[in-house]
Amino acid sequence: MLCGGWRRSRRSPEEPRVSAQVAAPLAFLPSPASSDSSTKRPGLRALKKMGLTEDEDVQAMLRGSKLLKIRSRTWHKERLYRLQEDGLSVWFQRRIPRAASQHIFFVQHIEAVREGHQSEGLRRFGGAFAPARCLTIAFKGRRKNLDLAAPTAEEAQRWVRGLAKLRARLDAMSQRERAHTWIHSYLHRADSDQDSKMSFKEIKSLLRMVNVDMNDMYAYRLFKECDHSNNERLEGAEIEAFLRRLLKRPELEEIFRRYSGEDRVLSASELLEFLEDQGEDGATLACAQKLIQTYELNETAKQHELMTLDGFMMYLLSPEGAALNVAHTCVFQDMGQPLAHYFISSSHNTYLTDSQIGGTSSTEAYIRAFTQGCRCVELDCWEGPGGEPVIYHGHTLTSKILFRDVIQAVRDHAFTLSPYPVILSLENHCGLEQQIVMARHLRNILGDMLVTQALDSQNPEELPSPEQLKCRVLVKGKKLPAARNEDGRILSDREDEDEDEEEAEEALETAEQRKRAKQISPELSALVVYCCATRLRTLEPSPGPPQPCKIGSLSERKARKFTREAGRNQTIPLFNPVDYSTVALNFQTPGYEMDLNTGRFLINGQCGYVLKPAYLRQLNTTFDPECPGPPRTTLTVQVLTAQQLPKLNVEKPNSIVDPLVRVEIYGVPEDCAHKETDYVLNNGFNPCWEQTLQFQLRAPELVLVRFVVEDYDTTSPNDFVGQFTLPLNSLKQGYRHIHLLSKDGASLSPATLFVHIRIENS
């Protein structure tokens, strides 16, 4: 039973959690009586559900288009692009010597579709094609843009409009509809002869595709129970019956029965009881009635203010049933406090798309950082040819981009996701002449966006708030009179690089470069208003009155040294700042550091600013991260089940994941911990754990909770499957679904974890 001590009888590994009893018809699956043409063509069922089967743009995409893929001035390759019948993916074919390779990309992985020459690639290499014929598909994560030119402007518009409709309908899908669409896409692929009938061999192929290794005898028994025609083929309603069994959620049915009683429907008062047990703050009868009207799919039940199992499952799989507090997905914090009172999402070497040694620099990297809520970006500025400053990672093989192109990208994209201020952190290696050019570009391109003087002339040293600086751009850099170190040399705008890097730079710089670096242009200095770069020599406050406009930068190594010297444990994770407002991360490098950064800024509308706890906003705080006091909060996580985990090795159909779940805690040193479940053998479709993990927390306001799913391996490190990270203060209690993300932050929908959360404050 899924109650009390949260126990349930275990199954043998060869019999995954699939009920042998047919469920009541699920609202998102067609009824068994359905016999329209879309039932005969499973791939089109998703488009029918979206209401797009008759759409002219979508019809054109289904027929396919020959589009030119553009990579350089000379590399233009014609490719056939065609929307798949599942409405989820686009198929394309490319020709390579002696072979033709086929590929797909998924609609849900598209970040944006831009018309015309609105990408770095098309601005540089698309001049031979009219802007009306061009479009750019920008993807989430690290995948490169797809720059395309259509034969005609109308065909380009069909793809722009069609992709927009598909993305809008996909975003509007419920989680259960996504699961239905997802499994039907695999069904279409498993139907090897495309006759819309499924043999047992094809059903076994389907099961392996969706990440479950089911015992042959057990699978055949389910197959025969659905083979009502007794012809060793499933078709139409028989396929739907099989999928209905596969997609059953016994654990949700058990919770539903516990509250609904014998009549198997929830009244508003019974739903309210469930909400109260969930720990929903301020739950009322009116709230329960509203949920019924929102999520119940049966009109008769809705009219009588009753919720069926289908409606209950729709609710639990909705954003309101997720682990992340839906109220925190909008801006909910006070945005009227000084800038220094916020953690600010910041990027390091923002211009890079890959390696820091030989990778590509691109304005697209800035655009991607902005789409992830980054509010502080770095510009490494160097002398360029023709009097134009360039940006790249100095003394490496990384490519160069023009300073002015980056500023144009800031103007066009900085405020697409968040209206709150952007900080341009300048690492200035240019001489006076090109510094003047930099200042001119900043003023001319940004115009009124650029902050050029204090907002309050009576109190110029007083930091304004994010609210006061909406849609404004701040420059961070050196301000005259320039500070010099012991040998009289002006400090770089990255004030405290790693000593090794500084020595290498000094060894490589010519005498002329060093001479130019000794000067700061008054024109550029004048644009530094609230973010004056300075060297930090200690973490201790400097004597005298506070100087809120001074920003000290330091390397991670120096930061750890300072924390040791200050008597604090050196394991303070810099990506989960305690002493710092901005911690610059390589947004182009996926990993747990970026997961934590994303989790920290997932809340407050993903606006890039998160208000610090009150004790970190006080000048004379007594808070010490190394000695935060006794535990104040107990976090209990019961890991119950997972749904539709992604297959890691699609090239090996017999490779099935053996998933385990690890819960990781990040915060002050004494709170950092991780615990994990056992692994489940050969089942990534619907594994069941029902294991409890518990943590004692001393500074809960700073805690990030990371849920990680891995594929267990006995001989090598586990493989990453998916994760989701969020602040403890935004984690909701009760039965919750956690919607997993990929390594580069893209949605893995419909993959979820189902957990029970309990947070107790002492």
Side-chain angles (χ1 to χ4, degrees):
M1 296 294 293
L2 190 68
C3 58
W6 295 340
R7 291 186 177 180
R8 181 188 284 167
S9 59
R10 298 288 178 185
R11 297 173 184 79
S12 60
E14 67 272 10
E15 293 193 3
R17 187 176 45 78
V18 179
S19 171
Q21 181 180 5
V22 177
L26 300 177
F28 70 94
L29 288 174
S31 68
S34 175
S35 60
D36 63 18
S37 61
S38 69
T39 302
K40 297 177 182 178
R41 293 180 64 185
L44 281 176
R45 200 173 287 110
L47 287 174
K48 185 175 186 295
K49 182 70 177 178
M50 296 179 186
L52 293 174
T53 48
E54 304 302 320
D55 184 271
E56 290 185 2
D57 295 323
V58 171
Q59 285 293 322
M61 294 171 67
L62 286 168
R63 291 191 296 270
S65 300
K66 289 185 177 179
L67 307 174
L68 279 179
K69 181 178 178 180
I70 301 170
R71 278 190 180 172
S72 71
R73 286 186 178 86
T74 57
W75 198 100
H76 305 157
K77 302 292 184 182
E78 187 177 80
R79 303 277 187 262
L80 175 63
Y81 291 85
R82 187 165 62 228
L83 177 68
Q84 299 287 81
E85 290 185 348
D86 59 12
L88 297 178
S89 56
V90 174
W91 172 95
F92 61 96
Q93 188 173 36
R94 68 179 185 182
R95 299 222 168 257
I96 57 177
R98 302 181 184 176
S101 59
Q102 299 178 3
H103 300 268
I104 61 171
F105 63 80
F106 293 96
V107 175
Q108 74 176 37
H109 292 162
I110 295 175
E111 181 73 56
V113 179
R114 307 183 207 144
E115 303 177 51
H117 295 168
Q118 293 299 312
S119 71
E120 184 176 72
L122 285 175
R123 281 195 296 269
R124 294 176 63 189
F125 310 128
F129 307 96
R133 291 173 52 195
C134 296
L135 67 147
T136 296
I137 300 175
F139 296 95
K140 300 173 183 177
R142 302 181 69 192
R143 182 167 181 166
K144 292 180 180 178
N145 288 352
L146 189 55
D147 291 323
L148 301 170
T152 66
E154 175 56 25
E155 196 153 5
Q157 277 300 304
R158 285 200 178 280
W159 279 85
V160 170
R161 292 192 301 259
L163 287 172
K165 293 169 190 173
L166 289 166
R167 294 176 66 211
R169 300 297 171 86
L170 188 60
D171 289 343
M173 275 187 180
S174 71
Q175 186 72 9
R176 289 179 70 198
E177 289 171 328
R178 288 171 188 257
H180 170 229
T181 305
W182 173 85
I183 200 166
H184 269 282
S185 69
Y186 282 104
L187 180 68
H188 183 64
R189 289 162 56 187
D191 184 7
S192 56
D193 53 8
Q194 296 298 296
D195 63 351
S196 298
K197 299 177 182 179
M198 302 295 292
S199 66
F200 179 65
K201 181 179 179 181
E202 289 171 326
I203 285 291
K204 281 289 292 180
S205 176
L206 169 69
L207 292 172
R208 287 192 295 269
M209 284 180 181
V210 299
N211 225 347
V212 58
D213 186 15
M214 191 180 292
N215 173 273
D216 279 357
M217 291 183 61
Y218 183 71
Y220 187 67
R221 187 170 81 239
L222 292 181
F223 177 86
K224 290 304 293 180
E225 286 173 356
C226 299
D227 183 19
H228 303 303
S229 56
N230 203 31
N231 64 353
E232 297 297 321
R233 293 286 189 276
L234 301 184
E235 57 180 310
E238 295 172 335
I239 294 174
E240 298 302 335
F242 184 84
L243 296 183
R244 212 170 266 114
R245 296 166 187 264
L246 205 59
L247 290 167
K248 275 175 68 71
R249 295 285 303 275
E251 74 278 32
L252 299 189
E253 295 178 27
E254 188 173 335
I255 297 168
F256 182 79
R257 284 196 298 267
R258 193 188 314 158
Y259 288 89
S260 64
E262 294 182 1
D263 58 2
R264 301 296 175 88
V265 289
L266 284 173
S267 66
S269 59
E270 288 170 332
L271 179 57
L272 175 59
E273 181 185 356
F274 171 75
L275 296 176
E276 291 172 340
D277 289 349
Q278 286 276 89
E280 290 282 3
D281 295 333
T284 63
L285 192 62
C287 293
Q289 292 166 338
K290 183 179 178 181
L291 289 177
I292 291 172
Q293 295 303 314
T294 302
Y295 296 107
E296 179 52 52
L297 300 172
N298 184 293
E299 288 299 325
T300 303
K302 189 185 294 187
Q303 290 170 12
H304 290 84
E305 292 191 341
L306 297 173
M307 180 175 272
T308 64
L309 173 61
D310 277 342
F312 185 68
M313 293 172 71
M314 290 288 285
Y315 162 61
L316 284 180
L317 284 163
S318 74
E320 290 187 88
L324 174 64
N325 188 336
V326 71
H328 290 188
T329 59
C330 303
V331 175
F332 71 98
Q333 295 181 332
D334 177 8
M335 302 305 291
Q337 301 204 29
L339 284 179
H341 286 189
Y342 299 84
F343 296 129
I344 304 173
S345 180
S346 305
S347 169
H348 175 66
N349 291 345
T350 313
Y351 44 87
L352 292 177
T353 59
D354 200 352
S355 164
Q356 297 191 110
I357 304 301
T360 302
S361 302
S362 172
T363 57
E364 292 293 331
Y366 287 90
I367 298 171
R368 293 192 181 198
F370 291 138
T371 61
Q372 295 176 69
C374 184
R375 297 289 84 189
C376 179
V377 296
E378 184 178 40
L379 292 75
D380 286 6
C381 308
W382 297 82
E383 294 268 310
E388 286 291 341
V390 294
I391 291 176
Y392 78 111
H393 199 210
H395 309 303
T396 67
L397 299 177
T398 58
S399 61
K400 301 176 176 67
I401 50 178
L402 290 174
F403 177 85
R404 69 177 180 219
D405 288 348
V406 172
I407 303 307
Q408 288 171 351
V410 171
R411 176 196 63 195
D412 296 339
H413 300 279
F415 302 105
T416 52
L417 178 68
S418 169
Y420 293 105
V422 163
I423 300 170
L424 304 183
S425 180
L426 303 184
E427 184 192 342
N428 178 20
H429 299 273
C430 295
L432 284 177
E433 290 184 6
Q434 293 204 12
Q435 287 182 45
I436 294 171
V437 174
M438 289 166 58
R440 184 167 66 245
H441 287 327
L442 286 164
R443 286 183 180 272
N444 293 345
I445 295 171
L446 296 177
D448 292 340
M449 287 183 178
L450 186 65
V451 174
T452 57
Q453 58 186 9
L455 272 59
D456 183 354
S457 58
Q458 302 300 314
N459 299 288
E461 288 292 317
E462 189 173 285
L463 277 179
S465 68
E467 190 67 30
Q468 291 173 294
L469 290 167
K470 270 187 172 179
C471 297
R472 303 298 298 276
V473 177
L474 304 171
V475 173
K476 172 183 173 287
K478 283 292 182 182
K479 191 166 183 66
L480 292 172
R484 286 175 167 75
N485 66 8
E486 291 79 2
D487 63 6
R489 181 174 57 83
I490 267 193
L491 301 173
S492 162
D493 283 350
R494 185 186 289 170
E495 292 76 14
D496 218 340
E497 299 174 277
D498 285 345
E499 285 82 351
D500 295 343
E501 190 174 338
E502 288 180 349
E503 291 171 6
E505 182 179 317
E506 287 195 24
L508 289 168
E509 277 187 337
T510 65
E512 183 62 27
Q513 284 175 316
R514 286 203 297 270
K515 180 180 178 182
R516 287 198 302 266
K518 287 183 180 180
Q519 304 174 64
I520 297 294
S521 153
E523 291 84 352
L524 192 57
S525 174
L527 301 183
V528 179
V529 179
Y530 289 116
C531 302
C532 307
T534 186
R535 165 170 285 200
L536 272 181
R537 298 184 181 278
T538 176
L539 291 183
E540 298 302 320
S542 56
Q547 296 178 300
C549 293
K550 294 288 182 71
I551 297 183
S553 301
L554 61 161
S555 68
E556 185 172 342
R557 183 166 66 178
K558 184 60 71 68
R560 294 191 184 280
K561 177 185 175 185
F562 282 173
T563 55
R564 287 196 300 271
E565 291 173 349
R568 294 175 180 168
N569 193 310
Q570 73 180 93
T571 60
I572 292 176
L574 298 184
F575 39 79
N576 179 15
V578 174
D579 290 304
Y580 313 102
S581 288
T582 64
V583 176
L585 293 178
N586 291 323
F587 271 54
Q588 71 276 14
T589 306
Y592 83 100
E593 296 93 344
M594 269 306 299
D595 293 344
L596 296 178
N597 190 75
T598 301
R600 170 64 72 200
F601 295 101
L602 179 67
I603 63 168
N604 209 28
Q606 298 184 53
C607 74
Y609 287 83
V610 171
L611 192 63
K612 296 178 183 178
Y615 52 74
L616 292 184
R617 306 197 302 265
Q618 300 164 358
L619 281 177
N620 300 314
T621 181
T622 58
F623 175 74
D624 184 344
E626 190 178 1
C627 301
R632 297 163 47 203
T633 298
T634 300
L635 169 65
T636 304
V637 179
Q638 191 196 16
V639 181
L640 299 171
T641 60
Q643 296 73 43
Q644 291 90 57
L645 298 176
K647 194 176 182 68
L648 297 184
N649 195 338
V650 293
E651 303 299 327
K652 295 183 179 179
N654 292 322
S655 174
I656 309 295
V657 300
D658 304 320
L660 62 81
V661 178
R662 186 169 59 254
V663 178
E664 301 172 349
I665 302 297
Y666 295 87
V668 298
E670 290 190 49
D671 283 346
C672 293
H674 61 84
K675 297 180 181 180
E676 64 187 31
T677 67
D678 300 329
Y679 68 90
V680 173
L681 185 66
N682 286 336
N683 188 354
F685 185 75
N686 53 10
C688 179
W689 293 276
E690 292 188 353
Q691 290 182 247
T692 301
L693 313 175
Q694 193 170 83
F695 304 89
Q696 302 295 323
L697 307 173
R698 293 161 176 79
E701 301 88 351
L702 291 169
V703 162
L704 293 173
V705 184
R706 184 172 183 250
F707 297 88
V708 189
V709 182
E710 290 183 344
D711 179 16
Y712 176 76
D713 197 306
T714 56
T715 59
S716 61
N718 296 342
D719 291 320
F720 176 89
V721 175
Q723 70 85 34
F724 190 78
T725 305
L726 75 169
L728 177 71
N729 286 349
S730 297
L731 179 62
K732 298 205 76 173
Q733 297 195 68
Y735 291 104
R736 300 291 171 183
H737 282 95
I738 294 167
H739 300 265
L740 296 172
L741 304 176
S742 68
K743 187 175 292 185
D744 59 6
S747 170
L748 288 175
S749 180
T752 53
L753 283 179
F754 186 53
V755 300
H756 187 278
I757 304 291
R758 189 163 60 240
I759 302 172
E760 299 170 293
N761 297 313
S762 60

